[in-house]
Amino acid sequence: MQFNRGFPGVPSGRLRRAPRRFLTTGLAGLLAGASALTVTTGPAAAGVTQYVLPTSVSYTDARQPTLAFPTTAADVPVGTWQADGVKHTSRAYFTFDLTPYRGKEVITAQVVTGESTVTDCDRPRELELWRTDTPAAAPTWNTAPAVREKVGDVGPTAPCPAGYLELGATEVFRQAVADGRDSLTLMARIAGDHEENKHFGRRMKKPGASLLANGVPDVPSKLNVAGRACAAGLLIGTTTPILTAEVTDPDKLEPYAGDRVRATFAWWPVDRPAERTEWTSSDWYAPALIQYTVPSGLLVDGGTYAFVVRAADEHAASGWSPECRFTVDTVRPPAPTVVSTDYPAGSGFPGHGGPGIAGDFTFSSAADDIAGFWYGRSGLTTYAAAGPGGTATVSHTPDKYGPDWLNVQAVDRTGNRSAQTRYSFTVRNTAPTVTDGDPDAWLGQPREFTFAPNMTDVVEYVWSLNNGTQQTVAADAAGTATVTVTPTLARNTVHVRSRTRDGVLSGDAGYTFSVRTAPFVTSEQWTFDGMPGAPAGTEGSFTFKPAMADVTEYVYAFDYGDLRTVQAGADGSATISYTPTDAGHHTIEVFSRTSAGVQSASVGLAFYPASIAPTVASEVYPRNTTGGGPGVPGTFTFAPHSSVTGVTSYVYQFRGEPERTVAANADGTASVEWTPSAYDNEYGGWTELRVRARTAAGVTTDAQYYSLRVDPQSPLVTSDVFGWQGGAVVGQTGEFVFTAQLPGTTEFVYSFDDGAESTVAAGADGTARVSWAADSPYGHSLTVRSRTAAGVVSGPAYYNIFIDPS
């Protein structure tokens, strides 16, 4: 089924048309089956061409005049022929069934045959075709049917022998169909006296008839307006409706399509039939569902219109379809009103009803043509037909407590929808209250839960633990009940609903509780509230206490390190000692284990030893900034923390260097000198110094971390020819001038494009010149460092170069 949409005179090409098939094969192809069907190529010959084989084939023999020779062979003898030295003379008869063409017009007909053998090709072809009466049975020479008219000579000028011969037979087939005959018989013979001359005899291939016939298209059916089937009192809600009709044709070409047809739509206002408008579609292969969109501006609200459709092919047109009338109604009804006594509108606490409790909601509209209402909480999913007065009452059951709503939309008889009304209401929480009587009970220990009602006249509770077996417990006179459960999981949920004397169930309380299994951890030296505790280096302790029965050991780790195990005492507790070496953030993670191997949940806590690290100061290399430079010595002074006495030495280390020790002065301070030999390009010149103090009592403090940056003292690079902005070309030579910033510079180390390094001596003024010519266009780079006679190296200077492409 195809579709065709369009405005008047503008056929749509959206939908694929059926494939065409053409009658171009030779006789061999046509004789491959009982029949072959095709749609002809041009509009002037539109219709279905069918290749028809005869329903019966026979021949007669003058030597055996009382015998009939029906045959299914591929060919038959015509004229005189000889067998076993005996002369025979034959005529052939072919009968075609015309019943499929009743009521149709034959447009063209051709008889198609050929020759299997010819006795003598030097003689002309004298093969004739005649129409005869249709015999009741295969004829004999003596009972041959009456000959009525000559159809024509078959291929008188065609080459001999001819594998393919055809003869126009349009008039004889057309007249036979027009006369209402059920069959047509054709006789093949050799003309006149030549019939008895064996030199003119031949074997003729069983012929077929290629018939192009056309039936009148059927009267269109299934008229439809804007998606609605035609019916009395039809209303539509648009002024640009799509008019649709199904067009069929008796001429079939399975499995492809039928004849090519077009539809003519005619429409008019019923009170002004003279204002008739017609539109004709393009051709489509039947059956087709053809559509026509009425242009905007032609239909008006309240107007009543009629339309009819007829179908036509290239040769005939159907009658007009029955009239389809419709009235345009584009007025949307007003938004509906919603009321409910079970769930009154508003957000007042505590609300009404409850989850699982149905309530009635009544919808109404001020319009007098309401057909029904669409409604739903999430989308308009349910339809309720309107009763007398244009109202509808529906039952809705909320599934949770709190704010709730229904969206409602009125629909009139046309299908026009109103704006939505949002009806908001509050659902009361009817779930019972659950009180845990033993919140500190351990895993595996029984605990009591008390249920109290949030509904009146509660007589029992239906409950379960962790979706297990559902149980029922009766309520006392006050409506409460108590149950005992023994949880075996760390996280649990008690599901409980109350039931009234009338059998009304409340919502589910869904009370979730956790049973602690993780041990309790305490320390006198360090708290877990984020405040600093005892200084780093202080020996302290942590005590573990169980939250499960039969705890025999604890597994713990500091700062996500290796796991350690400690045995529990008889009371299930254990104490460990610990000395943090550094101040700041530390963690401890602990879980317990029973004698049966049951493992508790873990508890992770953070604590903060206070810092007693020494202070560090330097004038040449101040903290967190840039100072000094490669080869520039700097002094660093260490002093003890105010709470530390008896410092005897300091252990310090610059990054990348070995750890060293310096003795403290009598006042507890010490100084060291440090000279960087090169700029640390990997870290951008940044270096870290770590210092710890040691006391006479053997205490080693936590470390002080001191960051500093060495000034790179990179050389300056200039050029009058080359620069990042371009201006030089390939092959052009220019100079770069290097100017040292590092005291004592004796040479410069440089490289182009990160290639091999070269050196150039620095002059007395601390400068050097290097000549260079670019060998390729676009970007290049130059990297330069200063170096002293003692091997001190500055930081790098980077110089970008752009060479113009031409």
Side-chain angles (χ1 to χ4, degrees), residues 356-371:
I357 301 176
D360 287 340
F361 295 79
T362 299
F363 311 147
S364 60
S365 174
D368 59 3
D369 61 345
I370 294 301

Side-chain angles (χ1 to χ4, degrees), residues 451 462-468 493-497 508-511:
F451 308 146
V462 180
W463 69 280
S464 67
L465 176 64
N466 298 328
N467 293 313
T493 301
V494 173
H495 295 280
V496 57
R497 304 175 74 184
D508 181 9
Y511 180 82

Side-chain angles (χ1 to χ4, degrees), residues 116-397:
S116 299
T117 60
V118 176
T119 303
D120 186 355
C121 277
D122 289 335
R123 302 297 177 96
R125 182 180 293 109
E126 297 289 346
L127 182 62
E128 297 177 339
L129 205 62
W130 294 77
R131 180 178 72 84
T132 71
D133 290 345
T134 299
T140 68
W141 188 270
N142 290 342
T143 62
V147 177
R148 296 303 179 184
E149 60 181 312
K150 183 178 179 179
V151 178
D153 297 320
V154 180
T157 61
C160 178
Y164 179 83
L165 295 169
E166 62 180 30
L167 175 64
T170 300
E171 289 304 320
V172 68
F173 275 91
R174 179 182 293 160
Q175 190 60 49
V177 171
D179 291 344
R181 293 200 294 269
D182 291 340
S183 61
L184 174 67
T185 299
L186 300 177
M187 177 188 70
R189 60 164 291 172
I190 299 301
D193 295 339
H194 299 308
E195 186 176 32
E196 295 182 359
N197 188 334
K198 68 177 183 179
H199 291 283
F200 291 89
R202 60 230 314 119
R203 291 194 70 86
M204 175 183 175
K205 293 182 180 179
K206 180 169 65 177
S210 178
L211 292 173
L212 171 59
N214 184 69
V216 178
D218 302 316
V219 174
S221 62
K222 298 182 181 179
L223 272 62
N224 182 294
V225 186
R228 295 188 170 197
C230 286
L234 177 62
L235 298 170
I236 64 168
T238 174
T239 58
T240 57
I242 297 175
L243 310 182
T244 306
E246 184 178 67
V247 178
T248 58
D249 190 279
D251 300 319
K252 303 285 186 184
L253 180 58
E254 303 296 346
Y256 303 109
D259 203 356
R260 294 175 65 182
V261 293
R262 67 186 70 90
T264 298
F265 290 77
W267 67 272
W268 62 91
V270 295
D271 57 348
R272 301 187 303 280
E275 298 179 10
R276 182 185 179 101
T277 298
E278 291 190 5
W279 173 81
T280 300
S281 74
S282 57
D283 291 345
W284 292 89
Y285 291 122
L289 194 64
I290 301 179
Q291 299 179 339
Y292 162 69
T293 301
V294 178
S296 61
L298 299 181
L299 306 187
V300 297
D301 178 63
T304 300
Y305 304 86
F307 82 97
V308 292
V309 187
R310 73 176 177 186
D313 58 23
E314 288 297 322
H315 300 279
S318 73
W320 290 100
S321 69
E323 184 180 285
C324 176
R325 292 194 172 195
F326 60 91
T327 299
V328 177
D329 175 13
T330 58
V331 178
R332 297 178 66 189
T337 300
V338 183
V339 295
S340 175
T341 57
D342 297 321
Y343 287 98
S347 56
F349 181 82
H352 296 79
I357 301 176
D360 287 340
F361 295 79
T362 299
F363 311 147
S364 60
S365 174
D368 59 3
D369 61 345
I370 294 301
F373 303 86
W374 284 99
Y375 69 96
R377 190 179 189 278
S378 299
L380 303 172
T381 57
T382 307
Y383 180 76
T391 65
T393 298
V394 302
S395 177
H396 172 68
T397 304

Side-chain angles (χ1 to χ4, degrees), residues 12 27 60 82 171 246 262 390 401 422 446 529 536 558 668 692:
S12 169
L27 179 64
T60 60
Q82 195 168 356
E171 289 304 320
E246 184 178 67
R262 67 186 70 90
Y401 70 89
R422 186 181 180 92
D529 56 3
F558 286 100
R692 298 177 186 271

Side-chain angles (χ1 to χ4, degrees), residues 59-61 64-69 139-141:
Y59 65 91
T60 60
D61 186 353
Q64 304 174 78
T66 61
L67 295 179
F69 297 92
T140 68
W141 188 270

